[in-house]
Amino acid sequence: MEFKYALVLPRDASTVSIVRALCGTTLTKLGVKEGCIADIEVALTEACTNVLKHAGIDREYEVTIGISESRCDIRVVDGGAGFDHHALGLQDAGPDSEGGRGIQLMRALVDELRFVSESQVGTVVHLAKKLELEPGSALRRLSDQARLSAAGQPAPIAAAWPKIGSA
């Protein structure tokens, strides 16, 4: 069972807070622990902000968010020229630097960070974080129901409904 949505957003600073709030609210409603949500929100904010600062002249960028019982996968795609991700974010930014910490933050906050840069396509930033769920979370409950249904067993809610045509 997975929740998945994709957003095509204009390259405007206001979209960063919109996508952050949408992701955070979804994770909250699904019962993900607050600290885990905060890590994902900051990493997502950094990835989107980097698109706005560095991706060139494309008018849009895309964010895809997939949430399963065990992890959150996020892809941020821009149409820029790409960059040498092997060289950036590996050294600490200087104490007087105004920027240069975004990739470092992403690396620190998520379990997996990958970049794919191609000059004709742009850059794909893939963030993945193992989810920490609250006891009784909606995500765990929904995943359990999906597993039961896939195994041919009626889900608890469906089992409570009378069959059509029965008296």
Side-chain angles (χ1 to χ4, degrees), residues 3-132:
F3 288 87
K4 190 170 190 174
Y5 52 95
L7 305 165
V8 177
L9 302 160
R11 284 191 58 213
D12 183 88
S14 67
T15 63
V16 177
S17 62
I18 292 167
V19 74
R20 177 182 173 133
L22 182 59
C23 183
T25 299
T26 302
L27 292 168
T28 298
K29 296 289 185 187
L30 290 172
V32 176
K33 289 187 176 182
E34 189 175 309
C36 186
I37 295 170
D39 289 350
I40 292 168
E41 286 177 324
V42 171
L44 175 59
T45 298
E46 290 298 327
C48 292
T49 301
N50 282 347
V51 167
L52 299 178
K53 288 182 179 178
H54 306 294
I57 60 170
D58 271 5
R59 294 192 317 249
E60 297 176 333
Y61 68 105
E62 182 177 317
V63 177
T64 304
I65 300 171
I67 303 166
S68 69
E69 181 181 10
S70 60
R71 65 190 258 155
C72 180
D73 286 288
I74 299 172
R75 290 170 39 102
V76 179
V77 182
D78 68 54
F83 70 102
D84 182 3
H85 55 272
H86 297 292
L88 296 173
L90 299 177
Q91 297 179 1
D92 291 339
D96 297 332
S97 296
E98 295 269 334
R101 293 180 177 82
I103 294 175
Q104 294 170 353
L105 280 170
M106 288 185 276
R107 286 188 203 284
L109 295 171
V110 299
D111 299 313
E112 186 179 331
L113 174 64
R114 286 183 285 144
F115 298 93
V116 177
S117 292
E118 298 178 19
S119 60
Q120 300 298 318
V121 177
T123 300
V124 178
V125 179
H126 179 238
L127 309 162
K129 176 116 176 131
K130 183 177 185 279
L131 294 179
E132 300 166 20

